[in-house]
Amino acid sequence: MRVENGCFCPECGNPVDRKGFCEKHPDAVYPFFVPAFGFNDERQCTRNLIHLLKYSKRRDIGEFFGEVIIERLAAEEFIAQADGFVPVPLYKTKERDRGYNQSEVVAGPICKKTGLPMLSKAVKRIKCTDSQTKQENAKKRQENVAGAFQASDELSGKKVIIIDDVITTGATTRELAIAIKDVGGSVLCALCIARPGIDESKESEI
Ligand SMILES: [Zn+2]
């Protein structure tokens, strides 16, 4: 893999090897996630932009991130293997309040460029979870999202890539991957805009 900012294990957060597997977690529910940007640029641009995307109705920023992500990753093998993209769903009332699902906005240009379908109707968030940024640690994050998602048979036999805005510990995407596996689908990897540390994400409510 040639991914610039690295690929990380969704179970422990450590970088994966060149083949895309974590030594400690070869049986992870999905093998790795890929953040397109680093989070700690001096001016905190990435953090500020994600904040605007989520809380100030700036859809355009999500579209921009989607375009950059696919431009950077278009040649990766996992893109060629995919049958479609699954944006992490929001709970329906949350999506209504926000006006859109930011992960779906990011997925838009990725689907367009690759010609692969956006499989957003194939997954549902069935539990209204508390914000992951309020959870104290990785274990709490995992408990908070347990059983939060349901996938439909449409994903049976499909190889998909999950799209999220930020991935911190990987708990949310891991839970979604479990739901996809439950209906006979598989997750090649997850793509996100950036990856904050747990403390950073609490600090800025991202
Ligand atoms: Zn690991």
Side-chain angles (χ1 to χ4, degrees), residues 23-205:
E23 242 175 51
K24 279 194 216 139
H25 303 102
D27 298 322
V29 59
Y30 76 90
F32 59 89
F33 67 88
V34 186
F37 289 86
F39 216 76
N40 295 316
D41 58 296
E42 220 171 277
R43 287 164 295 178
Q44 304 203 326
C45 283
T46 309
R47 178 196 304 233
N48 294 339
L49 286 169
I50 293 171
H51 210 266
L52 287 170
L53 165 64
K54 288 181 76 169
Y55 306 111
S56 301
K57 306 216 181 295
R58 290 287 305 275
R59 271 185 91 106
D60 58 317
I61 291 172
E63 287 161 2
F64 164 76
F65 276 128
E67 283 162 15
V68 176
I69 288 173
I70 195 57
E71 204 169 289
R72 288 190 177 181
L73 304 178
E76 295 293 338
E77 206 180 313
F78 52 77
I79 300 281
Q81 291 169 347
D83 295 313
F85 295 92
V86 177
V88 173
L90 291 180
Y91 194 67
K92 53 183 188 284
T93 48
K94 200 162 184 183
E95 183 166 344
R96 202 182 306 143
D97 293 347
R98 191 165 286 173
Y100 51 79
N101 173 356
Q102 71 277 3
S103 300
E104 208 173 306
V105 173
V106 173
I110 299 176
C111 293
K112 200 172 161 201
K113 177 90 196 274
T114 55
L116 294 170
M118 168 133 48
L119 302 164
S120 45
K121 299 273 186 297
V123 288
K124 252 202 310 211
R125 197 164 189 133
I126 51 172
K127 230 173 85 178
C128 186
T129 51
D130 287 334
S131 167
Q132 286 290 75
T133 60
K134 291 190 188 133
Q135 310 307 313
E136 284 159 34
N137 54 43
K139 192 165 175 277
K140 286 263 156 59
R141 284 175 172 244
Q142 192 64 59
E143 286 169 7
N144 186 43
V145 291
F149 301 102
Q150 198 174 58
S152 80
D153 291 341
E154 194 190 330
L155 297 181
S156 171
K158 293 238 164 72
K159 288 189 209 134
V160 301
I161 295 177
I162 293 174
I163 310 286
D164 204 355
D165 52 354
V166 295
I167 298 179
T168 305
T169 60
T172 304
T173 47
R174 203 157 64 231
E175 200 61 32
L176 178 58
I178 290 171
I180 293 169
K181 272 195 156 174
D182 279 350
V183 296
S186 61
V187 176
L188 294 169
C189 63
L191 310 180
C192 63
I193 301 167
R195 177 199 189 194
I198 289 187
D199 289 339
E200 286 169 274
S201 76
K202 274 174 92 172
E203 214 176 273
S204 62
E205 279 294 307

Side-chain angles (χ1 to χ4, degrees), residues 9 11-13 22 24-25:
C9 170
E11 304 286 338
C12 67
C22 174
K24 279 194 216 139
H25 303 102

